[in-house]
Amino acid sequence: MSARPLRIGDVAARVGVTPRTIRYYEERGLLAGGDRAKGSHRMYEEADVVRLQELIRLRDLLGLSLEELVELAEAEEARAALRDRWESDPNDEERRAIVEAAIPLVERQLALVSLRRQKLDEFAAELQDKLGRLHARRDELG
Amino acid sequence: MSARPLRIGDVAARVGVTPRTIRYYEERGLLAGGDRAKGSHRMYEEADVVRLQELIRLRDLLGLSLEELVELAEAEEARAALRDRWESDPNDEERRAIVEAAIPLVERQLALVSLRRQKLDEFAAELQDKLGRLHARRDELG
DNA sequence: TTGCTCCTCACGTCACGTGAGGTGGC
DNA sequence: TTGCTCCTCACGTCACGTGAGGTGGC
């Protein structure tokens, strides 16, 4: 895994946002921009692209505000911190704790997705209804 | 159909927005605030509630901007204008034209809903995948 | 008459968009 | 060396939020 670095424009293009959005998210604490000499270029790796993708999807598909994203991100952060310990210290009890902490987070996201789907389905049903009535009327006039 | 008038606060509460949002939409031309003495209360009827509900759903569930809503609304407007003529002039050829103009509008909305559903399903699938892997790992450590 | 909701400015905020002016790496 | 992308302010914008101060209807 060579992990050659990506520039902010590449990351932005791949995720479908602008560099400005990435800088703003960093400013809000959603993305690590961490240790960097003032004025020097931000550098990213594949893991950052995946992470940003997820945030953007939570924003677009579920309509979460950045404040809500920060909450979720902090939970993920805690998980990531645990993951680091995972690498260094392969204690089975700790591994279990890490996995068990991760599960409810994903379940929560799934619950939000289900709720959205339900609302979309209701909307789709109403539109189908409307369309059916229109077709019926057209046929009456046919 | 008595059509007793509703006040802005009632409409807002029923649709789940604030009065400010309604005033702003009126300002942007999405809602009729029409003929009203300066300073007098805005009055609405059931049809306005239905209309606003639809706009809010298009905004929340599909993530449309107000500018995009205006486009859609203008199309609906044209339809509403035709509907008025419908009431007064029951000419069968015109009726057909009205119905046939309405159908593609609803179909367009349905297409947008389908697209959203697809994206949500993809997201749900990825989350299920993630959850499955977490469960498997937990069981391995069990 | 007393509340409550309404009204119109008008400034504040969130999530970025958009130049302005300048530095840095293939 | 020439572009291109990057950098940091900093002001603009969209979709409202939030008082400020005042009028109007059960």
Side-chain angles (χ1 to χ4, degrees):
Chain A
M1 298 204 282
S2 62
R4 65 197 164 121
L6 300 165
R7 291 192 296 178
I8 194 170
D10 304 327
V11 175
R14 284 181 53 185
V15 185
V17 299
T18 69
R20 171 65 172 141
T21 298
I22 296 181
R23 291 192 196 102
Y24 185 64
Y25 282 26
E26 177 187 322
E27 193 183 323
R28 295 291 305 265
L30 279 166
L31 259 45
D35 38 356
R36 186 171 57 87
K38 170 136 179 163
S40 72
H41 291 196
R42 288 168 180 80
M43 290 305 181
Y44 303 91
E45 22 178 315
E46 292 298 328
D48 296 315
V49 176
V50 172
R51 178 177 173 72
L52 182 56
Q53 274 280 22
E54 244 188 85
L55 290 173
I56 295 299
R57 264 206 294 205
L58 289 167
R59 184 199 67 177
D60 285 351
L61 296 179
L62 301 184
L64 298 189
S65 71
L66 289 212
E67 198 175 326
E68 292 168 313
L69 286 183
V70 168
E71 277 182 63
L72 262 174
E74 277 169 354
E76 287 251 18
E77 211 89 333
R79 203 194 138 196
L82 288 174
R83 182 194 285 278
D84 286 347
R85 300 194 53 187
W86 178 298
E87 305 289 337
S88 57
D89 178 31
N91 176 323
D92 267 14
E93 278 180 58
E94 278 191 344
R95 286 190 173 190
R96 256 195 81 109
I98 294 165
V99 172
E100 300 217 330
I103 289 175
L105 278 176
V106 179
E107 280 175 343
R108 193 170 143 200
Q109 280 171 258
L110 266 170
L112 291 175
V113 171
S114 291
L115 203 78
R116 272 269 145 160
R117 234 203 95 100
Q118 199 177 315
K119 286 185 183 176
L120 264 184
D121 287 348
E122 282 170 25
F123 192 23
E126 284 186 33
L127 288 174
Q128 280 292 357
D129 228 65
K130 205 169 174 178
L131 191 58
R133 287 196 302 273
L134 285 171
H135 276 127
R137 257 196 259 182
R138 190 193 55 183
D139 293 347
E140 283 169 24
L141 295 168
Chain B
M1 295 202 282
S2 63
R4 65 198 163 120
L6 299 165
R7 293 191 295 178
I8 195 171
D10 303 329
V11 175
R14 283 182 53 186
V15 185
V17 300
T18 68
R20 170 65 171 144
T21 298
I22 296 181
R23 291 193 196 102
Y24 184 64
Y25 282 24
E26 178 187 322
E27 193 182 324
R28 295 292 303 266
L30 280 167
L31 260 43
D35 39 357
R36 185 171 58 87
K38 169 137 180 165
S40 72
H41 291 196
R42 289 168 179 81
M43 290 305 181
Y44 302 92
E45 21 177 316
E46 291 299 327
D48 296 315
V49 176
V50 172
R51 178 175 172 72
L52 182 56
Q53 273 281 20
E54 243 187 86
L55 290 173
I56 294 301
R57 265 206 292 204
L58 289 168
R59 184 198 67 176
D60 285 352
L61 295 180
L62 301 185
L64 299 189
S65 70
L66 288 211
E67 198 175 326
E68 291 168 314
L69 287 183
V70 168
E71 278 182 64
L72 263 173
E74 276 168 356
E76 287 249 20
E77 212 90 331
R79 203 195 137 195
L82 287 174
R83 182 194 285 278
D84 287 346
R85 299 194 53 187
W86 179 298
E87 305 288 336
S88 58
D89 178 32
N91 176 323
D92 268 15
E93 279 179 59
E94 280 193 343
R95 285 188 174 190
R96 256 195 81 110
I98 294 165
V99 172
E100 301 216 331
I103 289 175
L105 277 176
V106 179
E107 281 174 341
R108 195 170 141 201
Q109 281 172 255
L110 265 169
L112 290 175
V113 171
S114 291
L115 203 79
R116 272 267 144 160
R117 263 179 41 170
Q118 200 177 313
K119 286 185 185 177
L120 261 185
D121 287 349
E122 281 170 26
F123 192 24
E126 285 187 33
L127 287 174
Q128 280 293 356
D129 228 65
K130 205 169 174 177
L131 192 58
R133 287 197 303 274
L134 285 171
H135 276 127
R137 256 195 261 181
R138 190 194 52 182
D139 293 347
E140 282 169 24
L141 296 168

